């Protein structure tokens, strides 16, 4: 593989890995703030225990989120240096503002969240928790504004003196319609992830009849919060932004495997096997009108198909060649007025000419065949997009159904339905799958561009060797796999331990610090079968006879 | 839009040069003690309980402190995209190592105390030591390479060409810079421990701080010796317009012995002024940085010992500011000189973002930086006081 493919693989792996932790941080941070708010309002200890226990799991996840996030910020520079210098003027400033406004807030107060319980008033600590949640969400906002600019690069212009894109309107960049759709959609998806996490773990306790008071309350909070979020994630789906630009149109057409433009409103293909060679979708099952209505929010706007979009791309490549030619002339002679006029007229298509660089170094001498090839390159991976989108959307509807049911049972205070609890427990991996699929749709669907219509991916890489990227890629895979094992192990351990188990740990005096280690924490302190009856976690410390003899040696 | 901006391009560039410097110094002061404390963990604390005391001095605050680095990189990306692109891709393997070490930190802090198994904790302790030393060393080496010149150039379409591998980053001078960087962070971390701990740990910390401060000043002086007789500096000889477009191929640069002294000695001042016409810095008063830097670094451990730490921290911070400031000022207006093709060097006048971006980012910084300082001081206030063995025993908890 060459530098481009290796760098893409590394970026895809590290970004998808990073996004295993981000949605849970987004969702849990808000859930923690809600739980602690209830604690401060009612003064009931159990809500404090809930905040602390879910906070413990949040902390394990948060560490991974931060750690893997640093990689993302470094990676633009290390692997995508040309991208960084070409659009740093816009993209870099959004990342910097994210740091200034959001990440600083979140990272500064996370320490107080864990270490400030005994140092602050109740309301003071609650404010800290809300600030952490606010910081996480602001962070998502700026990152998604930056990402949306890659999908729909408005408010910027190519500068012929510096040979890069430069900001023309910060307002346009911030209020990018794609950014708004993305923000709502992605943050809601994070809330769904947090809610399913709490719902699944609570169901686990309820199934084992442990920590019942704790689990019932957590279940109820998760069901209500999750229902609202799941509705928002589907209804305010990302698709509304897809009509905003040419590339987004192509993405939409690819998602729907819609080769030809249909008369409005277009059909929605529920099932099919897209074939890139013949440009047909086999075995298609179609639902009349649905796509046109979803995509354009109207009955009479046609949705362009892939073939039409390729023809448009061809035209833009030819126009881009004029711009490219004019740019070369302008750089040789700044006073060439004809060239300046030609450039101004065709500047919007300059990026399309760059697609030709894959086939010819000179660009302006491209043959018809090369132009056709380059135009064809603008079609993303239809099969992957088609199916990734359908699975993601399917999960979305499943989450709504799950939360509706959970909410119904929770509001009737019926927490014994083993069937529902099992469904909730086994649903644990689904929000992650849905989120990863969503990013595959969004970013794989953006190909062949890093910046839609402006900069092709294959030009964006650093001038580094494949060996260097191979080195870091292998390093990442090994390092990240180890961390994943440790992370899952720790989460599993503390989930199994539960708030009851953790409460018992706290009674234990600091023992083994001096001499040789004692038995350490007994992982299996809570017996698999569970106690005979639910015990509230805030129970005063006292010896518990029915438990197996797993007390640490130092206990008095 | 130009009407809204009340600052010219030149001023904005100088301001952003200063802000980048402030962020780097902010990182050194704020996260420097976290790195230093982690680096000397096994030296000041042996038993698990002691180590937890040491770690708990930084656990509540390191996360926020690290953002100074993230923001420093973000500001480089936003305000100096060419610098960000060349530095991160050029130092590829070194950056990857620093990154791996930085990743170990959050997980180390997050996971270490979660399992009470001596081997587990020992392993994470060493991970934290590595996470303290490696980034400090890499950043020092990187800075050394900036002073020495970096083997890159631009082709006519402004694509970077970098000719040099990982091992080319290391020379006597850059290794010296790396060790200097580690030793000054160790000094800073040890002084911080004087402030935050008592008893045996504090006593050991005072000793380490005293040694590290002497080492720091000696290495700093040795670095100055290199600048005088060992490595060449760079001088802009023409073609620069401080208000011109950010295209680094429009000027000419020469590589000269002792050129880095130009900004300090004032001897090259007149020549400089003519050559660049926009050089508003470069005077004898800048000797403040190296002189005060060294004096404060020497004084820091003694102040830490006699005045219970707070003055020591201030002195140590001034020491770091002096050392980093000296290097930054010596290079002005260079951000990254090129040893391969000096004319490709990145300077304050031709490697920045657009005027509009610099202006908007300045507004954002003016709004958020004071807020950051306010809430950071608030957090330090809440967490003030010493961490003692008793305290750690009393708060036995996984939460």
């Amino acid at each position: 593989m060459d530098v481009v493919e290796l760098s893409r693989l590394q970026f895809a792996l590290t970004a998808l890995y990073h996004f295993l932790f981000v949605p849970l941080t987004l969702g849990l941070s808000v859930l923690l703030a809600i739980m602690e708010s209830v604690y401060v309002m009612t003064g009931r200890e159990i809500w404090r225990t809930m905040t602390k226990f879910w906070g413990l799991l949040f902390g394990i996840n948060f560490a991974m989120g931060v750690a893997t996030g640093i990689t993302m910020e470094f990676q633009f520079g290390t692997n995508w240096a040309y991208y960084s210098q070409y659009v740093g003027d816009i993209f870099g400033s959004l990342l910097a503002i994210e740091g200034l406004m959001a990440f600083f807030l979140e990272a500064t107060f996370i320490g107080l969240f864990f270490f400030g319980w005994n140092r602050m008033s109740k309301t003071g600590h609650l404010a800290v928790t809300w600030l952490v949640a606010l910081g996480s969400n602001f962070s998502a906002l700026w990152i998604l504004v930056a990402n949306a600019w890659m999908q729909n690069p408005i408010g910027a212009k190519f500068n012929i003196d510096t040979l890069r894109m430069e900001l023309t309107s910060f307002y346009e960049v911030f209020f990018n319609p794609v950014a708004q759709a993305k923000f709502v959609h992605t943050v809601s998806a994070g809330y769904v992830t947090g809610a399913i996490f709490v719902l699944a773990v609570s169901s686990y306790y309820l199934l084992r009849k442990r920590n019942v008071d704790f689990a019932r309350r957590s279940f109820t909070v998760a069901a209500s919060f999750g229902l609202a979020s799941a509705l928002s994630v589907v209804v305010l789906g990302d698709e509304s932004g897809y009509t905003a630009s040419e590339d987004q149109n192509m993405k939409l057409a690819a998602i729907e495997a819609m080769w030809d433009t249909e008369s409005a409103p277009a059909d929605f293909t529920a099932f099919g096997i897209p074939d890139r060679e013949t440009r047909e979708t086999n075995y298609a099952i179609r639902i009349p009108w649905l796509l046109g209505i979803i995509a354009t929010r109207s009955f009479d706007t046609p949705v362009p198909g892939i073939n039409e979009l390729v023809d448009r791309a061809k035209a833009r490549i030819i126009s881009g060649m004029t711009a490219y030619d004019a740019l070369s002339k302008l750089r040789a002679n700044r006073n060439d007025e004809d060239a300046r006029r030609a450039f101004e007229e065709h500047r919007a298509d300059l990026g399309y000419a760059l697609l030709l660089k894959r086939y010819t170094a000179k660009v302006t001498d491209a043959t018809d065949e090369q132009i056709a090839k380059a135009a064809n390159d603008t079609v993303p991976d239809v099969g992957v997009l088609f199916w990734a989108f359908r699975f993601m959307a399917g999960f979305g509807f499943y989450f709504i159904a799950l939360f509706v049911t959970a909410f119904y049972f929770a509001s009737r205070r019926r927490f014994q339905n083993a069937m529902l609890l099992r469904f909730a427990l086994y649903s644990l991996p689904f929000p992650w799958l849905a989120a990863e699929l969503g990013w595959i749709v969004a970013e794989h669907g953006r190909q062949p561009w890093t910046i839609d219509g402006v900069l092709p991916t294959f030009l964006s890489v650093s001038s580094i060797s494949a060996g260097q990227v191979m080195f870091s890629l292998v390093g990442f895979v090994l390092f990240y796999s180890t961390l994943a094992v440790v992370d899952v192990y720790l989460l599993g351990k503390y989930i199994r331990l539960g708030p009851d188990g953790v409460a018992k740990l706290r009674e234990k005096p600091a023992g083994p610090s001096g001499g040789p280690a004692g038995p350490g924490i007994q992982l299996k302190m809570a017996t698999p079968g569970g106690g005979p009856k639910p015990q509230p976690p805030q129970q005063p410390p006292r010896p518990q006879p029915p438990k197996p003899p797993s007390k640490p040696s130092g206990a008095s | 839009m130009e009407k809204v901006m009340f600052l010219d391009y030149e001023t904005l560039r100088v301001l952003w040069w200063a802000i980048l410097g402030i962020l780097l110094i902010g990182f050194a002061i704020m996260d420097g003690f976290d790195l230093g404390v982690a680096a000397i963990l096994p030296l000041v604390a042996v038993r698990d309980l002691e180590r937890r005391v040491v770690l708990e001095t930084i656990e509540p605050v390191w996360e926020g402190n690290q953002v100074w680095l993230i923001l420093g990189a973000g500001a480089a990306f936003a305000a100096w995209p060419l610098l960000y692109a060349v530095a991160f891709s050029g130092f590829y393997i070194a950056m990857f190592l620093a990154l791996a070490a930085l990743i170990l930190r959050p997980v180390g802090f997050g996971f270490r105390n979660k399992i009470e198994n001596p081997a587990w904790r020992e392993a994470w302790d060493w991970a934290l030591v590595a996470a303290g030393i490696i980034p400090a060393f890499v950043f020092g080496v990187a800075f050394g390479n900036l002073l020495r010149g970096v083997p890159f150039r631009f082709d006519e379409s402004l694509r970077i060409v970098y000719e040099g591998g990982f091992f080319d980053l290391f020379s006597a001078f850059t290794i010296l810079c790396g060790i200097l960087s580690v030793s000054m962070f160790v000094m800073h971390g040890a002084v911080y421990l004087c402030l935050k701990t008592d008893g045996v740990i504090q006593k050991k910390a005072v000793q380490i701080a005293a040694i590290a401060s002497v080492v720091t000043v000696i290495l700093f002086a040795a670095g100055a010796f290199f600048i005088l007789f060992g490595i060449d500096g760079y001088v802009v000889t023409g073609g620069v317009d401080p208000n011109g477009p950010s295209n680094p191929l429009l000027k000419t640069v020469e590589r000269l012995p002792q050129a880095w002294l130009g900004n300090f000695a004032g001897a090259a001042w007149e020549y400089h002024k003519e050559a660049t016409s926009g050089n508003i810095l470069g005077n004898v008063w800048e000797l403040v940085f190296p002189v005060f830097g060294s004096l404060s670094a020497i004084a820091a451990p003694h102040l830490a010992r006699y005045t219970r730490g707070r003055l020591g921290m201030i002195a140590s911070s001034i020491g770091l500011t002096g050392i980093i400031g000296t290097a930054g000022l010596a290079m002005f207006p260079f951000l990254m000189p090129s040893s391969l093709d000096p004319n490709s060097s990145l300077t304050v006048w031709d490697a920045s973002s657009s005027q509009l971006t610099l202006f908007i980012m300045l507004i954002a910084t003016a709004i958020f930086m004071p807020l950051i300082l306010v809430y950071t001081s608030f957090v330090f206030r809440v967490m003030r006081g010493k961490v003692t063995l008793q305290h750690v025993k009393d708060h036995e908890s996984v939460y």
Side-chain angles (χ1 to χ4, degrees):
Chain A
M1 287 202 278
D2 62 3
V3 173
V4 178
E5 284 171 48
L6 285 168
S7 292
R8 282 186 64 196
L9 184 60
Q10 178 174 306
F11 196 92
L13 288 178
T14 50
L16 288 175
Y17 190 76
H18 177 53
F19 213 74
L20 291 175
F21 309 101
V22 175
L24 190 58
T25 297
L26 284 173
L28 265 188
S29 66
V30 177
L31 280 162
L32 289 177
I34 293 173
M35 289 174 188
E36 193 174 344
S37 299
V38 178
Y39 165 61
V40 171
M41 284 188 289
T42 64
R44 299 185 58 187
E45 267 310 298
I46 189 161
W47 288 93
R48 181 177 143 109
T49 308
M50 284 163 62
T51 313
K52 282 195 150 190
F53 181 74
W54 294 115
L56 171 70
L57 302 180
F58 173 78
I60 296 171
N61 176 71
F62 187 84
M64 291 292 285
V66 170
T68 55
I70 310 173
T71 305
M72 303 315 296
E73 203 201 23
F74 273 48
Q75 210 167 182
F76 292 109
T78 52
N79 292 70
W80 304 94
Y82 193 68
Y83 169 93
S84 300
Q85 67 182 81
Y86 203 80
V87 298
D89 200 73
I90 306 101
F91 189 85
S93 64
L94 297 171
L95 291 200
I97 294 178
E98 186 264 346
L100 271 171
M101 182 179 175
F103 191 46
F104 238 121
L105 188 68
E106 181 186 15
T108 304
F109 283 106
I110 191 79
L112 266 198
F113 174 81
F114 289 108
F115 292 88
W117 283 102
N118 301 319
R119 288 175 180 259
M120 307 179 73
S121 67
K122 273 189 193 178
T123 38
H125 192 276
L126 176 64
V128 166
T129 311
W130 274 109
L131 286 173
V132 171
L134 197 68
S136 313
N137 283 273
F138 273 146
S139 185
L141 172 67
W142 288 101
I143 297 297
L144 291 167
V145 169
N147 177 266
W149 189 78
M150 297 168 75
Q151 323 277 352
N152 183 30
I154 49 177
K157 198 167 130 181
F158 185 82
N159 181 330
I160 55 171
D161 293 316
T162 57
L163 300 182
R164 65 177 182 195
M165 297 297 288
E166 291 185 358
L167 187 67
T168 54
S169 164
F170 190 74
Y171 181 90
E172 272 182 53
V173 172
F174 185 75
F175 290 100
N176 190 340
V178 179
Q180 295 174 27
K182 258 184 184 304
F183 174 65
V184 176
H185 182 70
T186 311
V187 164
S188 305
Y191 295 168
V192 168
T193 310
I196 292 218
F197 181 77
V198 172
L199 197 75
V201 175
S202 305
S203 300
Y204 167 77
Y205 295 137
L206 289 170
L207 278 167
R208 282 182 171 51
K209 308 214 176 350
R210 286 173 56 198
N211 303 305
V212 170
D213 283 351
F214 170 94
R216 285 183 169 184
R217 284 177 173 81
S218 302
F219 188 96
T220 309
V221 172
S224 1
F225 182 64
L227 179 58
S229 314
L231 285 172
S232 140
V233 91
V234 173
V235 176
L236 304 171
D238 204 25
E239 272 206 327
S240 53
Y242 285 177
T243 46
S245 74
E246 203 78 354
D247 171 59
Q248 299 289 87
N249 271 329
M250 181 59 100
K251 192 187 287 179
L252 180 65
I255 285 170
E256 300 308 338
M258 194 172 77
W259 302 99
D260 296 306
T261 309
E262 296 170 19
S263 53
D267 296 349
F268 177 81
T269 310
F271 178 90
I273 313 249
D275 185 335
R276 198 173 172 149
E277 293 304 310
T278 60
R279 300 208 160 179
E280 270 168 22
T281 303
N282 305 321
Y283 314 109
I285 299 170
R286 300 167 147 261
I287 302 171
W289 290 20
L290 188 58
L291 172 63
I293 297 168
I294 294 175
T296 65
R297 303 279 193 267
S298 79
F299 289 94
D300 52 4
T301 315
V303 183
I306 293 172
N307 293 332
E308 184 184 335
L309 290 169
V310 169
D311 287 341
R312 283 194 212 169
K314 214 175 280 174
R316 294 194 69 177
I317 290 171
I318 292 164
S319 154
M321 288 164 69
T322 313
Y324 192 91
D325 183 45
L327 178 62
S328 314
K329 284 182 187 147
L330 268 177
R331 292 188 65 210
N333 173 15
R334 306 274 322 190
N335 301 321
D336 188 337
E337 284 308 317
D338 288 343
R340 190 171 292 274
R341 229 172 292 121
F343 184 75
E344 289 302 328
E345 199 177 317
H346 295 277
R347 69 184 312 150
D349 297 322
L350 180 66
Y352 277 82
L354 297 180
L355 285 173
L356 289 167
K357 287 233 174 189
R358 173 178 262 170
Y359 303 106
T360 164
K362 226 184 134 210
V363 172
T364 42
D365 64 356
T367 61
D368 286 349
E369 192 193 352
Q370 287 169 328
I371 293 171
K373 269 189 190 165
N376 244 344
D377 287 346
T378 60
V379 183
D381 198 335
V382 179
V384 169
L385 258 60
F386 182 84
W387 282 111
F389 181 82
R390 270 152 194 74
F391 273 101
M392 176 192 75
F395 279 128
F397 288 108
Y398 170 75
F399 296 147
I400 294 180
L402 178 68
F403 281 123
V404 165
T405 321
F407 184 73
Y408 173 81
F409 278 90
S411 59
R412 295 262 174 301
R413 303 203 171 281
R414 284 163 54 191
F415 295 97
Q416 278 80 40
N417 189 320
M419 174 93 152
L420 169 65
L421 296 178
R422 272 200 204 101
F423 255 100
L425 176 57
Y426 297 143
S427 300
L428 186 59
F430 297 159
W432 278 274
L433 276 174
E436 302 281 295
L437 289 170
W439 278 114
I440 289 171
V441 171
E443 306 310 301
H444 198 45
R446 194 194 59 234
Q447 298 305 326
W449 306 101
T450 40
I451 305 290
D452 165 32
V454 170
L455 186 64
T457 307
F458 69 90
L459 283 180
S460 308
V461 287
S462 303
S463 311
I464 46 178
S465 72
Q468 284 175 311
V469 189
M470 191 55 111
F471 176 83
S472 60
L473 179 60
V474 170
F476 273 120
V477 169
L478 294 176
F479 191 32
Y480 273 16
S481 307
T482 316
L483 289 181
V485 171
V486 175
D487 182 68
V488 169
Y489 169 73
L490 278 180
L491 281 175
K493 172 186 138 91
Y494 278 100
I495 288 170
R496 261 180 279 125
L497 207 54
D500 50 350
V502 171
K504 263 177 248 154
L505 291 183
R506 300 177 64 198
E507 293 163 24
K508 192 180 67 68
S513 51
I521 289 178
Q522 296 295 318
L523 302 193
K524 299 176 193 100
M525 199 171 265
T527 48
K533 62 174 184 190
Q535 288 160 347
Q538 71 272 31
Q539 219 171 24
R542 61 179 170 82
Q544 292 173 356
K547 293 283 171 185
S550 55
K551 279 261 167 194
S553 58
S556 50
Chain B
M1 207 61 212
E2 257 117 59
K3 275 167 251 150
V4 190
M5 287 186 280
F6 47 80
L7 291 169
D8 62 26
Y9 209 178
E10 179 178 7
T11 313
L12 280 168
R13 283 168 161 163
V14 174
L15 283 174
W16 271 100
W17 174 79
I19 291 172
L20 187 66
I22 290 167
L23 289 175
L24 284 180
I25 291 170
F27 161 71
I29 292 175
M30 300 300 291
D31 207 27
F33 68 75
D34 300 320
L35 295 171
V37 167
I40 59 174
L41 177 63
L43 295 179
V44 288
V46 181
R47 292 181 302 147
D48 181 58
L49 204 61
E50 288 175 341
R51 289 196 177 167
R52 274 170 38 213
V53 169
V54 171
L55 291 177
E56 199 170 321
T57 63
I58 50 176
E59 268 181 298
V61 292
W62 76 268
E63 194 117 40
N65 295 340
Q66 178 177 265
V67 186
W68 287 93
L69 174 68
I70 310 273
L71 193 57
F77 197 172
W80 310 101
L82 288 166
L83 173 68
Y84 172 81
V86 179
F88 278 70
S89 64
F91 305 158
Y92 190 85
I93 300 291
M95 282 297 175
F96 175 73
L97 292 179
L99 176 63
L102 287 172
I103 291 175
L104 276 179
R105 237 152 53 112
V107 287
F109 281 115
F111 294 174
R112 180 195 186 275
N113 288 343
K114 295 285 190 284
I115 292 181
E116 199 171 312
N117 172 312
W120 167 274
R121 291 193 170 178
E122 188 75 16
W124 283 117
D125 286 347
W126 284 106
L128 286 172
V129 172
I133 295 175
I134 294 174
F137 185 72
V138 169
F139 296 145
V141 169
F143 229 111
N145 274 286
L146 292 188
L147 284 160
R148 191 174 63 150
V150 177
F152 74 96
R153 64 178 175 84
F154 292 101
D155 69 13
E156 72 285 356
S157 62
L158 282 190
R159 253 194 119 79
I160 302 164
V161 179
Y162 189 92
E163 289 179 10
F166 174 63
F167 294 103
D168 300 326
L169 292 177
F170 301 97
S171 70
F173 175 69
T174 61
I175 291 173
L176 181 138
C177 292
I179 301 173
L180 168 62
S181 165
V182 172
S183 91
M184 72 187 195
F185 287 149
V186 163
M187 167 189 81
H188 198 48
V191 168
Y192 178 75
L193 281 180
C194 296
L195 173 70
K196 293 292 285 185
T197 61
D198 58 5
V200 184
I201 299 174
Q202 191 189 32
K203 211 172 272 172
K204 288 182 185 165
V206 169
Q207 289 169 348
I208 292 173
I211 298 168
S213 88
V214 173
V215 172
T216 300
V217 175
I218 291 175
L219 290 176
F220 184 48
F225 188 80
F226 262 98
I227 300 280
L228 268 172
F229 304 111
I231 61 165
D232 293 346
Y234 296 78
V235 174
V236 178
T237 51
V240 146
D241 173 6
N243 282 303
S246 281
N247 184 334
L249 292 179
L250 303 176
K251 65 172 175 325
T252 53
V253 168
E254 249 177 76
R255 186 176 162 152
L256 291 171
Q258 301 182 350
W260 287 148
L261 294 175
N263 285 339
F264 290 102
W269 168 235
E270 286 304 322
Y271 168 65
H272 224 72
K273 202 161 61 173
E274 274 179 22
T276 65
S277 74
N279 194 341
I280 57 164
L281 293 166
N283 224 329
V284 187
W285 63 266
E286 286 158 11
L287 284 173
V288 163
F289 278 86
V291 170
F292 273 70
S294 318
L295 290 180
S296 311
I298 284 290
H302 304 285
L303 290 169
R305 178 155 36 170
Y306 294 118
T307 63
R308 295 173 179 275
R310 205 161 295 178
L311 262 184
M313 277 306 279
I314 293 173
S316 181
S317 304
I318 296 176
L320 299 184
T321 309
I323 292 169
I324 299 170
T326 302
L329 277 174
M331 290 172 63
F332 188 89
F334 287 90
L335 297 166
M336 182 188 264
S338 162
S339 56
L340 192 63
D341 167 30
N343 291 347
S344 285
S345 298
L346 304 180
T347 73
V348 171
W349 314 126
D350 59 15
S352 78
S353 281
S354 65
Q355 191 178 357
L356 178 60
T357 295
L358 291 185
F359 182 74
I360 285 172
M361 291 296 301
L362 185 70
I363 302 287
T365 310
I367 295 170
F368 291 109
M369 198 38 84
L371 275 175
I372 290 167
L373 293 176
V374 166
Y375 62 64
T376 304
S377 348
F378 169 76
V379 169
F380 274 86
R381 234 188 95 71
V382 173
M383 299 308 302
R384 72 186 175 279
K386 287 185 187 293
V387 181
T388 61
L389 287 170
Q390 196 55 46
H391 170 88
V392 171
K393 271 186 200 159
D394 291 347
H395 292 84
E396 181 74 30
S397 161
V398 290
Y399 284 135

